[in-house]
Amino acid sequence: MGLVMRFTVRESGVGDEPFLLLLGDHLCVSDTDRTCSRQLLDAYEVTGQSVVGLKETPEDEVHRFGCATGVWATGEGLLALTEFCRKT
């Protein structure tokens, strides 16, 4: 079962409630007093839209992770995505 199918199956169980989809192949550690999960939930509460956690990646490593770009929301530390590219 692929990721999209698993997501679709889980989505039917939560209805309109916000939820976190955490992938075990990436572990994130916060450098603030708020956990990464809390930061995602806070971003959702501000925007009311789906959010994704990103990290800065050196240009020579982008092929390993994929990349995204967008427009920074003033004062909120949020990036409105305009483009993304999956890893090759």
Side-chain angles (χ1 to χ4, degrees), residues 66-82:
C67 59
T69 189
V71 178
W72 287 103
T74 305
E76 296 178 23
L78 299 174
L79 181 70
L81 294 182
T82 57

Side-chain angles (χ1 to χ4, degrees), residues 31-71:
D31 60 358
T32 73
D33 59 341
R34 292 183 316 153
T35 66
C36 296
S37 295
R38 180 76 260 164
Q39 291 174 51
L40 290 170
L41 291 169
D42 290 347
Y44 173 79
E45 290 172 6
V46 167
T47 66
Q49 298 178 359
S50 297
V51 296
V52 62
L54 300 173
K55 72 171 194 163
E56 246 184 89
T57 303
E59 188 175 338
D60 63 337
E61 294 183 23
V62 168
H63 70 280
R64 297 177 53 210
F65 300 102
C67 59
T69 189
V71 178

